[in-house]
Amino acid sequence: MKYPNIREEEIKNSVATDLFKDFDCDKIVGFIDFAVKVKFNDEYLLWAEAKQKSTDIVAMLTQLVLTIGKARTFDKMMPPSFLGCFDCEKIAFVPYSEIQHVFYQNDFNWKVTPSNTETKEFQQVYVQISKILNNDTPWDTYVFDFEREEKELRRFIRENFIVGKSDISKIKIDKNNFIIIYNKWLESVKPSIAVNWDATKKAGIIDGDFYLADLLSTENSTIKENLFVLLHSNFYEIDRKISETGLFTSSRANFSDNQKAHTHFWNKYERPPREEYWDYIVNRRDLLVPQDVRERKGSYFTPPQWVELSQRYLADVFGEDWQDEYYVWDCAAGTGNLLAGLVNKDRIFASTLDKQDVDVMHDRIKAGANLWKNQVFQFDFLNDEFLPQSKNGKLPDELYNIISDENKRKKLVIYINPPYAEAASSATVRGTRNNKTGVALSHKTHDKYISIIGNAVNELSTQFVARIYDEIKDSKLAFFSKLAYLNGANYKKFRNFFRAKLLNGFIIPSYTFDNVNGKFPIGFLIWNTEQKEHFITANVDVFDSKGLFIGKKKYFDGKDIKYINDWYRKFYDNENVSFGIMNTRGNDVQNQNYIRISSDNNFNHTNPITIKNFIQSCIYFSVRKIIEATWLNDRDQFLYPNKQWEKDLEFQNDCLAYTLFNNNIQSKYGKNHWLPFAEQEINAKNKFESHFMHDFITGKLVQNGYSTLFEQQENKMCIKREFSPAATAVFDAGRELWRYYHENAGNKINASLYDIREYFQGRNEGGKMNNTSEDAHYTTLIGNLREALKILAKQIEPKVYEYGFLKA
């Protein structure tokens, strides 16, 4: 036995030193145990599984395959020449090309734990690898005993671990990795295509169209003739159309580097993909749309499970035979997937902003999609006029007749998943980006409705709704969207304008949609715009990401409601001395991460913390922070509370304790007035600059001379604070942390909690504080404090609802 009685890590180090000293074995590739790569090069030669004890080769390779498949490592970097495994006595190599097909099997659950040998997935891959190793190839020549076959092993490495020798098959492209490869294509190939990308984007041609032309080709010729861009050997054909003279015309795009980058890139990949993926990839063109264009046009794909669920709700509301009684218009259709499952194509209309998407739908019709070609058309819903094609407009005459007829309009269902983009984002508010020009501001609907619905016009989906409600009167509206229009403070004017009866609906997690950032609820609500009602409350069904019903969720109108920032604004104080800055933002749960207490004033939405508003600031901060943010409560609004909190000293002191040990005060910005302890409590080696907080807690502010620094407004500011057991536990955990800092030569006598964390955790090369520390005892102490804070937060939480800060 070559490596007896040593740990796995030592075996890996020994194998690297003994066999692969001429290569780089230091790089960590995901959760793969061992990797060998060429020095000063990104070419990997081996990914291997390692075990301490003698282990079955097939079992080791199976675990390696499951590890790679789970992380889709082969999608993120070029795979190696070999996969392998070794233990204390032997090592084995298998060409990656022999195992590659295992990663592309259909209906396989790659989420299992790779080391769990009991799963059916492990057993399935085990059988597959056994068959690979037991075919007619002499696989025994690829298994070496470290001691008995050392010469043969070294010869094998010498002859096969050579830069550029890899005889590996090209990487296969499928529906799981075509986006990752597209992103690599953007870096490698796009710069070599001699076109003006700004001009092509304005013409509706995106870089993804060039990628599709490449991807769906053989021998550098596109094989799907209906794509908007075609590859012809060494150039692209674009903008193909029939001119006014009846002649076929097109434009040509060449390569600026004699096609070198293109050739080099596609030498790595096998194209076209398997034919079963073609339609899926073309239909998911929305994923290839640049982010700025996607936000403006709303190129988002509605997951099939929500399409099916929405149509079940439509049937529940309008009856089992609703498709024979109602007309359907998806005026933000994209490639038309929202309409999949509808059966009466005589009554379905689909329009979209992009001609390419119209072409995709027409192609799907040829393949059997249940639509009529003449009822699928290009239409810019936020700009184009409602005019029939017979009068040089864009609407099919039949659809125009429907929306022009009062009775037929009542039988029209506008069924859409409109774009969710807003004119401003969180980055805009932080000052790191400009407003999204052209997102929600450059439409006729914006100009028409801004005076009617106010700030709500900044969201594209609201513009869709406004035009539908106002110009297709009495129709039925069924649409996916964010839910701020139900209760958001910026949507009060919109709710006064949009008076319709809510018929039914559900909400689902946003992260089940591709390319939708954040975790928040997306609602599918069905409205009857004929019945004029002011929205007051909704109790809608909730489904999780798997489509399972998990309960109900209430939404309340924001009419006549005042919000938490209205309440906190009452306590703004610019007269007394400030000893901290409260950073406020919005009124909803989604803004939780922006709520902070700091020493500097480098943020928007700030308010000085003084003796006059200190307790209210602690309440505001705690209420905003203790409610765990989830996708479901993301848009819930914090409200103006009732007055019961004023008499609850335990609640006030709980919030005080929570705030003292959960802030971003830093002593480098000036005198730290937030030290909750006396020097002797934490074994400080010198006197603190400020005893304000300790004296405030013990009721000794005036006695110790702070009346000259902080104006005393009420006697209750000088009372001794009595803390609940949960709050006391927080103080106890904090005291141990401060004491450990001062015992370990912490160099800041006035160190704040932030300073202590910075001392023990350090910062990375980018200047960001590390999330963890190498000091095990500190890790235990900060963990104890955080656990105590969680318990205290649970104690405060019921009173957040009792005192009206949130509605249950």
Side-chain angles (χ1 to χ4, degrees):
M1 187 179 296
K2 178 74 171 178
Y3 305 111
N5 303 320
I6 62 175
R7 296 179 303 172
E8 181 181 307
E9 285 301 317
E10 294 180 64
I11 294 177
K12 290 192 288 186
N13 292 335
S14 297
V15 169
T17 302
D18 295 346
L19 299 175
F20 300 103
K21 63 181 180 180
D22 294 330
F23 303 92
D24 182 355
C25 300
D26 294 330
K27 298 296 182 182
I28 298 174
V29 180
F31 291 98
I32 296 171
D33 286 342
F34 187 80
V36 177
K37 68 182 288 291
V38 179
K39 289 182 178 180
F40 314 114
N41 193 316
D42 289 331
E43 182 178 351
Y44 279 90
L45 301 173
L46 173 69
W47 291 344
E49 179 73 20
K51 295 294 182 184
Q52 178 189 16
K53 298 179 180 180
S54 181
T55 308
D56 172 25
I57 289 175
V58 178
M60 287 191 284
L61 288 173
T62 299
Q63 182 172 337
L64 177 64
V65 167
L66 290 172
T67 300
I68 296 170
K70 183 174 184 177
R72 306 293 294 180
T73 313
F74 49 83
D75 286 339
K76 301 170 186 175
M77 60 181 64
M78 286 291 291
S81 304
F82 293 94
L83 297 183
C85 58
F86 58 85
D87 54 28
C88 58
E89 61 184 15
K90 61 186 177 295
I91 188 168
F93 304 91
V94 180
Y96 180 85
S97 58
E98 296 294 333
I99 285 184
Q100 179 176 234
H101 68 276
V102 177
F103 296 118
Y104 295 94
Q105 55 191 314
N106 293 322
D107 300 322
F108 187 85
N109 176 23
W110 288 103
K111 296 182 180 181
V112 297
T113 302
S115 59
N116 185 354
T117 61
E118 302 300 320
T119 65
K120 66 176 183 179
E121 288 79 11
F122 189 98
Q123 298 299 325
Q124 180 176 331
V125 173
Y126 187 96
V127 170
Q128 291 173 312
I129 292 179
S130 295
K131 290 180 179 178
I132 293 171
L133 301 187
N134 290 324
N135 64 13
D136 294 333
T137 305
W139 289 106
D140 56 299
T141 59
Y142 291 84
V143 179
F144 302 92
D145 183 282
F146 284 128
E147 291 185 324
R148 290 188 292 103
E149 299 174 301
E150 181 179 359
K151 289 184 180 179
E152 292 84 353
L153 170 58
R154 292 187 182 279
R155 183 185 303 114
F156 177 86
I157 294 173
R158 186 170 58 251
E159 293 177 354
N160 290 279
F161 281 51
I162 301 173
V163 179
K165 184 182 186 299
S166 174
D167 192 29
I168 188 172
S169 300
K170 291 184 177 182
I171 298 173
K172 298 180 185 293
I173 302 176
D174 60 19
K175 64 181 182 181
N176 295 314
N177 67 1
F178 80 99
I179 295 301
I180 293 170
I181 294 170
Y182 164 65
N183 290 329
K184 295 178 180 179
W185 180 94
L186 288 175
E187 297 177 2
S188 301
V189 179
K190 178 183 174 182
S192 70
I193 303 174
V195 300
N196 183 326
W197 293 104
D198 289 334
T200 57
K201 186 160 57 174
K202 289 179 181 179
I205 304 170
I206 60 173
D207 43 35
D209 291 320
F210 288 81
Y211 172 69
L212 289 176
D214 280 357
L215 180 60
L216 298 174
S217 68
T218 181
E219 297 181 356
N220 272 352
S221 292
T222 304
I223 53 181
K224 282 184 74 70
E225 289 293 325
N226 59 343
L227 296 181
F228 207 68
V229 175
L230 300 178
L231 175 64
H232 295 295
S233 185
N234 59 356
F235 70 91
Y236 296 99
E237 183 183 13
I238 61 176
D239 198 21
R240 298 175 299 141
K241 59 187 177 183
I242 304 297
S243 70
E244 294 180 358
T245 61
L247 298 176
F248 178 83
T249 66
S250 65
S251 300
R252 172 173 172 154
N254 295 309
F255 293 95
S256 60
D257 65 345
N258 293 322
Q259 209 172 352
K260 290 181 180 178
H262 184 271
T263 301
H264 178 73
F265 180 84
W266 287 112
N267 278 342
K268 305 173 187 176
Y269 301 100
E270 181 179 316
R271 51 180 179 144
R274 281 158 46 182
E275 189 170 356
E276 64 192 78
Y277 298 133
W278 293 2
D279 287 341
Y280 175 87
I281 291 173
V282 172
N283 290 340
R284 294 314 313 269
R285 177 182 177 272
D286 62 295
L287 298 178
L288 307 179
V289 176
Q291 185 65 22
D292 61 328
V293 177
R294 185 183 296 117
E295 288 174 337
R296 177 167 56 85
K297 296 180 177 179
S299 301
Y300 293 112
F301 184 86
T302 313
Q305 64 175 336
W306 307 137
V307 173
E308 181 181 354
L309 185 62
S310 68
Q311 291 175 13
R312 277 169 35 201
Y313 273 68
L314 286 167
D316 289 342
V317 168
F318 299 123
E320 184 177 345
D321 298 324
W322 76 279
Q323 295 186 56
D324 297 324
E325 299 174 9
Y326 288 84
Y327 302 97
V328 176
W329 181 17
D330 182 353
C331 56
T335 56
N337 80 296
L338 186 60
L339 302 173
L342 299 185
V343 296
N344 192 343
K345 63 182 180 180
D346 293 341
R347 303 175 78 89
I348 301 172
F349 299 86
S351 63
T352 185
L353 184 59
D354 275 342
K355 182 182 183 302
Q356 297 95 313
D357 288 340
V358 173
D359 291 341
V360 169
M361 283 191 279
H362 285 170
D363 188 44
R364 290 179 60 207
I365 290 171
K366 294 178 183 177
N370 201 37
L371 299 167
W372 287 118
K373 184 175 181 180
N374 63 355
Q375 291 179 188
V376 174
F377 57 100
Q378 185 178 5
F379 187 77
D380 184 348
F381 192 83
L382 300 183
N383 286 298
D384 290 340
E385 296 296 325
F386 288 161
L387 291 173
Q389 293 170 352
S390 60
K391 295 184 179 180
N392 297 319
K394 295 184 177 181
L395 295 182
D397 284 24
E398 183 179 357
L399 178 59
Y400 177 78
N401 292 335
I402 292 169
I403 66 174
S404 301
D405 186 297
E406 179 180 353
N407 292 320
K408 288 184 177 180
R409 276 201 309 270
K410 295 177 182 180
K411 289 291 187 178
L412 174 62
V413 178
I414 308 294
Y415 177 37
I416 54 174
N417 180 12
Y420 307 149
E422 298 178 62
S425 66
S426 58
T428 306
V429 179
R430 290 194 301 270
T432 59
R433 281 175 57 185
N434 295 322
N435 277 337
K436 300 174 187 173
T437 57
V439 173
L441 305 180
S442 59
H443 305 287
K444 291 181 180 179
T445 50
H446 175 275
D447 298 336
K448 179 174 181 178
Y449 292 103
I450 186 170
S451 62
I452 302 173
I453 63 176
N455 290 336
V457 79
N458 287 335
E459 185 161 348
L460 284 179
S461 62
T462 313
Q463 291 186 36
F464 273 83
V465 174
R467 187 178 191 191
I468 293 165
Y469 178 77
D470 189 46
E471 300 180 39
I472 311 179
K473 295 182 184 297
D474 299 340
S475 61
K476 308 301 183 289
L477 175 58
F479 70 107
F480 290 89
S481 74
K482 295 187 287 187
L483 296 166
Y485 73 98
L486 294 181
N487 59 0
N490 288 332
Y491 292 79
K492 288 184 176 180
K493 291 185 71 173
F494 173 80
R495 287 191 290 272
N496 287 332
F497 162 79
F498 181 71
R499 294 176 178 267
K501 182 178 178 59
L502 178 60
L503 302 177
N504 205 346
F506 59 83
I507 55 177
I508 49 183
S510 62
Y511 55 84
T512 59
F513 289 70
D514 290 325
N515 294 314
V516 175
N517 295 323
K519 293 183 178 182
F520 53 87
I522 289 179
F524 176 75
L525 302 183
I526 305 171
W527 301 85
N528 183 354
T529 68
E530 182 184 0
Q531 294 180 258
K532 308 303 180 186
E533 292 184 6
H534 191 291
F535 171 74
I536 299 175
T537 184
N539 193 22
V540 296
D541 296 339
V542 182
F543 292 86
D544 67 13
S545 60
K546 297 179 180 179
L548 300 176
F549 175 77
I550 58 174
K552 294 273 192 176
K553 173 72 175 176
K554 281 187 177 181
Y555 287 90
F556 303 90
D557 174 25
K559 183 181 180 182
D560 300 327
I561 286 180
K562 297 174 71 175
Y563 298 93
I564 194 169
N565 284 334
D566 299 322
W567 171 76
Y568 188 51
R569 199 171 291 116
K570 291 197 317 177
F571 306 107
Y572 282 9
D573 179 17
N574 293 308
E575 298 177 358
N576 291 289
V577 176
S578 168
F579 53 91
I581 299 295
M582 176 72 75
N583 297 270
T584 63
R585 168 79 177 274
N587 293 289
D588 49 13
V589 175
Q590 69 168 319
N591 285 298
Q592 185 182 78
N593 289 337
Y594 296 98
I595 308 302
R596 63 174 69 85
I597 292 175
S598 56
S599 306
D600 59 326
N601 195 11
N602 293 329
F603 301 93
N604 297 323
H605 310 285
T606 59
N607 176 57
I609 298 174
T610 71
I611 190 67
K612 186 177 180 180
N613 64 22
F614 180 47
I615 288 298
Q616 292 88 345
S617 295
C618 291
I619 293 173
Y620 176 89
F621 178 82
S622 300
V623 165
R624 295 296 304 266
K625 299 293 280 188
I626 67 166
I627 302 298
E628 181 183 0
T630 68
W631 73 268
L632 190 54
N633 68 11
D634 186 76
R635 296 306 194 260
D636 286 2
Q637 304 288 317
F638 286 98
L639 306 173
Y640 196 113
N642 57 48
K643 293 185 177 183
Q644 295 180 51
W645 69 268
E646 296 176 1
K647 299 178 181 180
D648 190 340
L649 292 181
E650 180 179 285
F651 169 71
Q652 295 177 28
N653 292 339
D654 281 349
C655 291
L656 168 61
Y658 185 85
T659 303
L660 289 178
F661 297 93
N662 199 22
N663 60 70
N664 287 342
I665 294 294
Q666 300 177 62
S667 60
K668 71 177 182 180
Y669 288 107
K671 190 176 292 187
N672 178 12
H673 295 293
W674 291 74
L675 290 166
F677 305 112
E679 291 91 341
Q680 61 273 20
E681 289 184 81
I682 56 175
N683 300 329
K685 298 176 177 62
N686 210 333
K687 185 179 179 181
F688 297 151
E689 289 182 340
S690 171
H691 296 88
F692 165 74
M693 193 60 66
H694 182 259
D695 290 342
F696 175 81
I697 292 169
T698 56
K700 299 178 181 179
L701 281 182
V702 176
Q703 176 183 329
N704 289 344
Y706 279 98
S707 59
T708 59
L709 181 59
F710 301 112
E711 179 184 347
Q712 302 302 302
Q713 299 294 323
E714 303 176 58
N715 290 333
K716 68 180 182 180
M717 303 306 292
C718 300
I719 64 173
K720 182 179 180 180
R721 299 279 160 179
E722 300 291 339
F723 292 98
S724 66
T728 300
V730 170
F731 273 92
D732 292 343
R735 187 180 297 106
E736 292 301 314
L737 180 63
W738 256 268
R739 184 178 294 158
Y740 183 66
Y741 172 81
H742 286 282
E743 289 174 353
N744 282 269
N747 58 2
K748 293 182 179 179
I749 190 66
N750 302 292
S752 66
L753 175 64
Y754 187 97
D755 297 331
I756 293 173
R757 291 174 53 231
E758 184 178 42
Y759 175 80
F760 285 109
Q761 295 171 209
R763 294 185 178 274
N764 61 25
E765 294 178 356
K768 183 179 179 182
M769 188 186 297
N770 297 318
N771 293 325
T772 59
S773 170
E774 295 181 358
D775 188 313
H777 190 58
Y778 163 78
T779 301
T780 298
L781 293 177
I782 195 71
N784 292 342
L785 176 59
R786 289 168 177 164
E787 187 61 32
L789 284 168
K790 288 181 182 179
I791 294 171
L792 179 60
K794 287 297 182 184
Q795 179 167 294
I796 298 172
E797 184 175 344
K799 295 182 179 181
V800 172
Y801 296 93
E802 180 181 347
Y803 299 155
F805 288 102
L806 279 175
K807 285 190 175 183

